[in-house]
Amino acid sequence: MASRTAPLAAATPTPATLAPATLSIVLPTFNERDNVPVLVERLDKVLAGVAWEVIVVDDNSPDGTADAARALAARDPRVRVIRRVGRRGLSGACIEGMLASSADFVAVMDADLQHDETLLPKMLATLSADEADLVVASRHVEGGAVGNGLSSVRASGSGLANTLARRLLRVELSDPMSGFFMIRRREVERLAPRLSAQGFKILLDIAASARGELRIAELPYVFRERLHGQSKLDTLVALDFLGLLLSKLVGDFVSVRFLMFMMVGASGVVVHMLALFGGLELLGLEFQSAQTAATFVAMTTNFYLNNRLTYRDRRLKGWRALRGLLSFYLVCSFGVIANVGVATLVYEENAGRLMTGIAGAAGAVMGAVWNYAASSVLTWRKA
């Protein structure tokens, strides 16, 4: 007797199964629990008739942003969540979110409600009409404005950064510091190997890495005031921005992280000299004692800055920070040996043919490379 099987129950149609997303909106988040639900509700209104999805890329926020986003996803299949553990940074989060999309078009915007979501349909229409490959929401074209979203100091800093980006990298954008844009996903796939996961200025990185190959359109918008939470930008972002500029100027020959490590090291020279002068003139120490103290002061400040900026995605806290500081002292001590050893070798091998300064520079470079490589493995190793 033939067995009978029950017919399979038909799957309940959902927006996700009926219409694959045409547009993905990537929201990089850190401590934005209160803002994400509000933004998703706004997106639902302004994108009526569009097959869209939201990809929340959360850097393991302690305020429970990922949990809040998952609660939304449980009710709305258009919401997706990527929780990143052991890595942080706006650019890296944006890249992961864009590459996780299968939609033809991908938008990036902040989750802090300062970007005007009502501009999204117009951005999508511009790309869909094949008028551009990248559409940027700009505060600096006619009709756009900084508004009350930035303090006067941050607005001035943003203006200076825009000027440097346009002149040094020849990026033809009125607002390369904008964090609100939409791009064809195929262009993201093409440019992804050239992009840096470090830093905050993903749009600038995309535009500079494209080297004039993208058709770009700019649309005006007014930057809004933040409603909930606090801005995650601080003064250290300036060094991060300079690192990206230098990396692009040298054709990505060296990484942004290495350049930031070098800039922190350069600041350590200034700290060392100030501490040495203070030890000699103010405390009356002997030179050897003052030099030793200045060395430890400089290494300590370098560790702090590198922990806050260069390795902010691997930032050490509590007892791990203390252990990291001790390992950084050890690494830098061997760096001094490498510095002196290489400088001596170059000087002795080329006596009479190379200037003493070149030998010293060779030693300094060797010491810096050692410090960077060793500290990446020992002090700020990946979890």
Side-chain angles (χ1 to χ4, degrees):
M1 182 176 179
S3 62
R4 298 178 61 184
T5 58
L8 294 174
T12 302
T14 66
T17 58
L18 290 176
T22 300
L23 171 64
S24 295
I25 303 101
V26 176
L27 303 179
T29 61
F30 185 74
N31 288 344
E32 300 288 359
R33 179 192 59 202
D34 295 331
N35 292 326
V36 170
V38 176
L39 181 54
V40 171
E41 183 179 355
R42 292 182 181 182
L43 292 174
D44 188 49
K45 294 178 180 178
V46 302
L47 293 174
V50 176
W52 60 274
E53 68 176 357
V54 164
I55 303 176
V56 178
V57 187
D58 184 64
D59 283 359
N60 202 27
S61 299
D63 75 339
T65 298
D67 291 335
R70 284 198 196 93
L72 289 174
R75 303 190 301 269
D76 190 339
R78 296 173 300 180
V79 179
R80 297 167 55 194
V81 183
I82 299 175
R83 178 187 171 204
R84 304 203 310 166
V85 178
R87 58 196 192 279
R88 288 182 59 181
L90 184 75
S91 291
C94 291
I95 293 170
E96 287 192 38
M98 289 188 290
L99 294 179
S101 167
S102 59
D104 291 334
F105 308 107
V106 184
V108 171
M109 63 188 302
D110 291 346
D112 57 13
L113 308 178
Q114 292 187 285
H115 291 159
D116 185 1
E117 69 285 342
T118 63
L119 193 61
L120 287 170
K122 190 172 183 180
M123 298 169 81
L124 180 60
T126 302
L127 290 180
S128 298
D130 200 25
E131 298 174 5
D133 302 309
L134 170 66
V135 181
V136 178
S138 174
R139 299 162 292 184
H140 302 304
V141 295
E142 185 176 357
V146 171
N148 296 321
L150 289 179
S151 66
S152 58
V153 174
R154 285 183 61 192
S156 299
S158 178
L160 176 60
N162 284 333
T163 301
L164 290 174
R166 289 195 299 269
R167 292 185 179 180
L168 296 180
L169 300 182
R170 302 186 184 280
V171 173
E172 296 302 322
L173 285 172
S174 67
D175 193 1
M177 297 299 104
S178 174
F180 187 15
F181 61 91
M182 189 181 296
I183 188 172
R184 298 181 187 277
R185 188 181 56 83
R186 68 168 184 258
E187 297 298 338
V188 176
E189 298 281 356
R190 181 175 67 86
L191 295 172
R194 306 181 198 170
L195 302 178
S196 170
Q198 292 286 127
F200 294 85
K201 302 307 177 186
I202 183 63
L203 173 63
L204 174 60
D205 197 1
I206 288 174
S209 297
R211 299 164 188 162
E213 298 170 354
L214 292 177
R215 296 173 298 159
I216 302 175
E218 294 185 289
L219 301 177
Y221 87 107
V222 177
F223 196 59
R224 298 188 296 215
E225 190 172 0
R226 168 181 278 270
L227 296 182
H228 303 290
Q230 297 180 338
S231 173
K232 288 162 282 297
L233 297 181
D234 52 43
T235 55
L236 292 177
V237 174
L239 281 178
D240 185 89
F241 170 72
L242 290 176
L244 178 60
L245 279 183
L246 291 174
S247 179
K248 293 303 175 184
L249 282 173
V250 299
D252 294 310
F253 182 73
V254 292
S255 70
V256 175
R257 196 190 296 274
F258 178 75
L259 287 170
M260 287 193 291
F261 191 89
M262 293 298 99
M263 286 190 289
V264 169
S267 72
V269 175
V270 177
V271 171
H272 180 100
M273 296 309 297
L274 291 174
L276 177 62
F277 176 81
L280 293 173
E281 300 298 327
L282 301 180
L283 301 179
L285 300 177
E286 296 292 333
F287 179 82
Q288 186 173 6
S289 298
Q291 175 75 347
T292 301
T295 299
F296 276 94
V297 170
M299 286 193 293
T300 302
T301 58
N302 280 7
F303 171 81
Y304 173 78
L305 290 176
N306 278 315
N307 196 46
R308 288 276 297 169
L309 177 65
T310 311
Y311 295 97
R312 65 193 311 154
D313 56 327
R314 308 179 196 174
R315 187 174 296 169
L316 303 175
K317 298 179 180 179
W319 285 107
R320 293 183 64 227
L322 178 58
R323 291 196 300 269
L325 175 61
L326 295 177
S327 70
F328 189 68
Y329 287 156
L330 180 63
V331 165
C332 291
S333 297
F334 280 103
V336 172
I337 296 174
N339 183 334
V340 175
V342 170
T344 301
L345 179 63
V346 171
Y347 179 78
E348 291 178 349
E349 291 289 330
N350 298 276
R353 296 194 301 274
L354 289 178
M355 295 183 297
T356 303
I358 296 178
V365 169
M366 184 62 204
V369 170
W370 162 263
N371 286 346
Y372 173 71
S375 63
S376 294
V377 174
L378 297 178
T379 305
W380 289 284
R381 62 184 179 273
K382 289 186 178 180

